[in-house]
Amino acid sequence: MRMVLKARIPTEPGNELIQNGELPKIMETAIAALQPEAAYFTLDDGERTAFFYFDMTESSQMPTLLEAFFMDLHARVSLQPVMNAQDLRTGLSELMSGT
């Protein structure tokens, strides 16, 4: 299932990770693990924030995929299913056809 992972990194831990050179390494490790179809980096409520859109096949993957964000980044993490435009078309078509 396509998911969006949002990770908000608090300022102080983020500053430390940048100063010691760890933030790029942690992000590259996350990208390698998630293999996202898209990754975006921005600010949210004044904090460094990353959005990763990726496929999660089993909910049992959550600990493996998420713990580094909690432990290494001290991030606030949210995870939710999302659809792309084709998924929405398919879902609406099935809804309208009654299947």
Side-chain angles (χ1 to χ4, degrees):
M1 176 176 289
R2 182 176 288 108
M3 305 292 284
V4 60
L5 165 66
K6 176 182 174 183
R8 283 180 46 185
I9 305 164
T11 301
E12 290 305 316
N15 290 347
E16 290 177 24
L17 291 166
I18 288 171
Q19 290 169 345
N20 69 23
E22 289 297 310
L23 187 61
K25 296 173 193 173
I26 293 168
M27 285 298 166
E28 288 301 327
T29 300
I31 290 168
L34 294 170
Q35 297 186 6
E37 66 183 54
Y40 299 97
F41 305 91
T42 188
L43 295 175
D44 185 32
D45 199 25
E47 294 181 326
R48 296 171 183 99
T49 304
F51 290 91
F52 299 96
Y53 294 82
F54 70 102
D55 189 48
M56 187 169 72
T57 56
E58 298 288 331
S59 59
S60 62
Q61 294 175 276
M62 289 173 63
T64 304
L65 296 175
L66 302 181
E67 283 305 319
F69 291 99
F70 294 119
M71 297 182 74
D72 297 340
L73 300 173
H74 304 274
R76 288 185 225 164
V77 178
S78 65
L79 183 68
Q80 65 186 48
V82 293
M83 294 183 287
N84 64 17
Q86 185 55 49
D87 296 334
L88 179 63
R89 286 183 197 104
T90 301
L92 290 175
S93 176
E94 289 175 6
L95 175 68
M96 300 308 288
S97 69
T99 60

